[in-house]
Amino acid sequence: MIKGKVLSGVSEKNFENVKKLQKKLVRAYGRNYERYNADIQERMIFEKTDEQQRRFFDDLMGIQLTRRGRYVAALKAENFKSLALNGNALSISYYYGDLLECIYTWGRRREQDKPLIHCIMASFTSEMVHEYICYMYSPDETKRSKSRRKLEHFLGEGFGNDWTGKMLPVRISEEIFSLAFFRTVEFQMINCYFPLERLYTFLMQLETAAYSMSEKTWQEKFIKEVGEAVAKDFEENKAIWSLQCMDMLFENACLNQQQMPALSFSFNIFERTFISLSKNTPQPRRKGLVLRVGIDTQQADFDILGFVKKSIAPQEEQREKYKKIFEDISAAIYKYVAEYVRLENAVGIEEKLTRKLTAQLKKQSIFEKFKTADAIAFPFYDFDLSYNIIKRVRDKCSRSFTQPTLLQDIVKNIVKIYGFIEEELTSEENYYAEKNPGSSFPYRRMFSEYPYIAAMKKLKDNEFFVRILQNNIKAGISPSIPETEIND
């Protein structure tokens, strides 16, 4: 899909042609959008609802679009009965899942209000698909920014809530928790560790006599070999993938009551002894290097659907967000290597080596390994479709997870839920393709090719990522449960 930002890569003539096509597309959908809204407000609402329901609908339409979802989500049982908006809506925290849950509950408690609910859902779909089209295709950057904010406001603080959280029941220390979504009150995230075996082997075998501190050729050879060792280590341990996927799963992170744009990591390298409990291991005790990752946060939401809101940002923006991780890991590696080899007299090597390491680590990013066009990973903006998919996925989960699962299977089961979503998106694609021959609705591809989803499928059997997630889920829901030891 073409966004305004992408246009800078084409010739001036083609740039103008694409801009014209974009304007035509936005104008064409704008006309359809006006017709959709007129049909909902002038036909559907009068044909399907009574006078009290119409008054409620009119009151809702009078609320600013960015707040409309919040007002519906804030409805309680007494509001259903009286059909009155909740005056405290703006003081209540709002997640997109709250809106889905309200629609689900309202339709089951008040059968007579279903025609009104259908009108509300149709209105949300019309308005938000319009904002999506404008955000994705408008050549006007100001309009695109406004539409992006409206899409983000529609999701509120995040996608999930306690209702979506029930997709995944997990047993931990004889207690059962709903772990597709949970809020933490206050906790300290658990450090995680990744082995650096190639770097350790290189340093152990290093013949310092073969290098001259002052020679340019020595520096080039040393930088190249350290860079290659680090590249192989991170290709194998998947540390970058793990940290990025962790950041996708934990949102609304806070430190000292200040909200943070992402999880905050700190890094250092140290030597440790690994103890194997396996009888078949030839070396039950061995030394090695590890990358220790500290995670500084005191509060966060764990949400297996939290990546949806993050996917609204262009991928270039998402790549930039993780730039500091690469730089900080590079600095930690340089610090250790410099002390081990005594590089203090090697003029200019710090900048060259850290630049090399940063470039190598950037290649390990999920946004480099799984490059794809900018696209919002899940069509939450098509509210009717989104509601029906999440409702059916919850039903599939209740049939699939008839007994609480084990925490060590958390990543496999999260990926299993993503598989359910892919199945439902495929079903919707096929339905719309039959209704609109010749049209393309690539919902499943946009979901499955989103870098986070592609990486999670690869990480489901990665022992380091599984352990990190396991320990931090324990810390978030029950700090008294001890973390899993990293010694195997």
Side-chain angles (χ1 to χ4, degrees), residues 233-299:
D233 275 331
F234 281 84
E235 180 67 39
E236 291 172 3
N237 65 30
K238 296 291 185 285
I240 300 298
W241 291 19
S242 297
L243 298 181
Q244 289 178 317
C245 288
M246 276 285 290
D247 184 61
M248 288 283 182
L249 285 163
F250 283 92
E251 58 181 353
N252 298 321
C254 291
L255 180 63
N256 299 325
Q257 299 184 328
Q258 295 292 316
Q259 189 152 339
M260 303 153 64
L263 294 181
S264 178
F265 300 107
S266 58
F267 307 96
N268 68 298
I269 312 291
F270 65 93
E271 189 176 309
R272 65 168 295 142
T273 300
F274 292 92
I275 304 171
S276 176
L277 302 180
S278 172
K279 295 179 180 178
N280 300 321
T281 304
Q283 289 181 295
R285 296 177 69 90
R286 60 185 176 83
K287 287 188 176 181
L289 280 185
V290 294
L291 169 70
R292 175 190 173 276
V293 184
I295 312 176
D296 301 318
T297 189
Q298 296 165 328
Q299 187 176 334

Side-chain angles (χ1 to χ4, degrees), residues 24 75 78 128 195 205 234 309 367 422 429-430 441 455 482:
K24 284 183 180 179
L75 295 175
E78 61 270 21
M128 299 320 299
Q205 296 175 349
F234 281 84
K309 186 173 182 178
F367 293 100
E422 287 178 338
E429 272 186 35
N430 295 337
F441 300 89

Side-chain angles (χ1 to χ4, degrees), residues 33-228:
Y33 156 72
E34 289 167 3
R35 285 198 291 270
Y36 296 150
N37 277 358
D39 186 59
I40 295 165
Q41 296 176 22
E42 297 172 13
R43 183 190 64 81
M44 279 182 67
I45 196 70
F46 282 95
E47 288 181 1
K48 295 175 177 288
T49 62
D50 60 31
E51 186 175 344
Q52 184 186 20
Q53 291 167 337
R54 285 196 291 274
R55 278 200 305 271
F56 178 88
F57 185 81
D58 288 343
D59 288 344
L60 183 63
M61 293 302 104
I63 293 170
Q64 189 178 341
L65 178 60
T66 54
R67 296 177 173 179
R68 213 171 286 168
R70 182 183 294 270
Y71 269 88
V72 174
L75 295 175
K76 306 297 180 188
E78 61 270 21
N79 302 119
F80 297 152
K81 189 173 182 180
S82 64
L83 278 183
L85 293 171
N86 186 337
N88 297 318
L90 296 183
S91 63
I92 302 171
S93 67
Y94 164 64
Y95 293 75
Y96 183 78
D98 298 332
L99 177 59
L100 298 174
E101 181 182 9
C102 175
I103 295 294
Y104 180 86
T105 306
W106 189 0
R108 277 152 183 74
R109 291 190 180 181
R110 299 273 296 177
E111 183 74 24
Q112 64 269 42
D113 284 342
K114 281 194 172 181
L116 170 62
I117 294 169
H118 292 155
C119 290
I120 291 171
M121 292 174 69
S123 177
F124 276 137
T125 297
S126 176
E127 294 286 1
M128 299 320 299
V129 169
H130 174 250
E131 299 303 335
Y132 168 77
I133 293 291
C134 185
Y135 173 54
M136 293 299 294
Y137 295 106
S138 175
D140 187 322
E141 190 63 35
T142 301
K143 289 181 179 177
R144 289 187 62 247
S145 295
K146 287 181 179 178
S147 291
R148 174 178 173 174
R149 285 196 297 274
K150 289 177 183 177
L151 290 166
E152 290 170 340
H153 275 292
F154 191 48
L155 284 177
E157 293 181 44
F159 192 107
N161 76 333
D162 295 336
W163 183 74
T164 65
K166 291 175 182 175
M167 289 179 183
L168 185 55
V170 177
R171 183 184 296 279
I172 305 175
S173 296
E174 305 308 315
E175 289 188 69
I176 298 171
F177 299 91
S178 297
L179 289 190
F181 174 91
F182 66 85
R183 295 182 179 93
T184 63
V185 179
E186 185 172 347
F187 79 116
Q188 178 60 53
M189 295 190 79
I190 304 298
N191 298 332
C192 42
Y193 304 84
F194 298 92
L196 300 174
E197 294 183 6
R198 306 297 183 114
L199 180 60
Y200 181 73
T201 300
F202 168 74
L203 292 175
M204 291 299 100
Q205 296 175 349
L206 183 65
E207 296 181 17
T208 53
Y211 298 96
S212 171
M213 289 288 185
S214 59
E215 287 185 11
K216 181 181 177 183
T217 52
W218 173 83
Q219 286 197 15
E220 290 173 352
K221 183 174 186 291
F222 183 79
I223 290 168
K224 178 176 179 292
E225 293 182 351
V226 171
E228 288 173 352

Side-chain angles (χ1 to χ4, degrees), residues 215-421:
E215 287 185 11
K216 181 181 177 183
T217 52
W218 173 83
Q219 286 197 15
E220 290 173 352
K221 183 174 186 291
F222 183 79
I223 290 168
K224 178 176 179 292
E225 293 182 351
V226 171
E228 288 173 352
V230 168
K232 288 175 183 176
D233 275 331
F234 281 84
E235 180 67 39
E236 291 172 3
N237 65 30
K238 296 291 185 285
I240 300 298
W241 291 19
S242 297
L243 298 181
Q244 289 178 317
C245 288
M246 276 285 290
D247 184 61
M248 288 283 182
L249 285 163
F250 283 92
E251 58 181 353
N252 298 321
C254 291
L255 180 63
N256 299 325
Q257 299 184 328
Q258 295 292 316
Q259 189 152 339
M260 303 153 64
L263 294 181
S264 178
F265 300 107
S266 58
F267 307 96
N268 68 298
I269 312 291
F270 65 93
E271 189 176 309
R272 65 168 295 142
T273 300
F274 292 92
I275 304 171
S276 176
L277 302 180
S278 172
K279 295 179 180 178
N280 300 321
T281 304
Q283 289 181 295
R285 296 177 69 90
R286 60 185 176 83
K287 287 188 176 181
L289 280 185
V290 294
L291 169 70
R292 175 190 173 276
V293 184
I295 312 176
D296 301 318
T297 189
Q298 296 165 328
Q299 187 176 334
D301 297 329
F302 177 80
D303 185 4
I304 69 168
L305 297 172
F307 68 92
V308 175
K309 186 173 182 178
K310 295 175 183 181
S311 76
I312 296 175
Q315 288 197 22
E316 187 57 40
E317 185 178 313
Q318 296 181 60
R319 286 188 187 94
E320 280 296 307
K321 186 173 100 170
Y322 296 113
K323 185 178 177 182
K324 189 173 186 300
I325 290 178
F326 313 140
E327 292 173 346
D328 289 354
I329 293 176
S330 298
I333 293 173
Y334 175 80
K335 181 181 178 183
Y336 182 87
V337 170
E339 291 174 355
Y340 186 89
V341 187
R342 296 184 179 177
L343 295 177
E344 62 269 17
N345 295 323
V347 179
I349 196 170
E350 179 175 2
E351 182 183 349
K352 293 174 186 175
L353 181 53
T354 54
R355 189 167 60 238
K356 174 74 172 180
L357 293 174
T358 299
Q360 293 283 17
L361 294 174
K362 183 180 177 182
K363 291 177 184 177
Q364 300 301 323
S365 168
I366 62 174
F367 293 100
E368 297 296 331
K369 290 288 185 179
F370 305 103
K371 276 189 175 178
T372 184
D374 283 337
I376 295 175
F378 180 82
F380 69 90
Y381 44 84
D382 189 332
F383 189 71
D384 288 272
L385 180 148
S386 174
Y387 171 76
N388 286 315
I389 285 177
I390 298 301
K391 182 179 70 173
R392 291 197 292 263
V393 169
R394 282 181 87 249
D395 289 342
K396 281 188 175 182
C397 288
S398 66
R399 293 194 299 271
S400 181
F401 305 123
T402 53
Q403 297 295 323
T405 63
L406 300 175
L407 187 56
Q408 60 255 39
D409 296 324
I410 185 74
V411 181
K412 288 181 181 177
N413 287 326
I414 290 172
V415 171
K416 188 174 183 178
I417 293 173
Y418 294 156
F420 293 157
I421 294 174

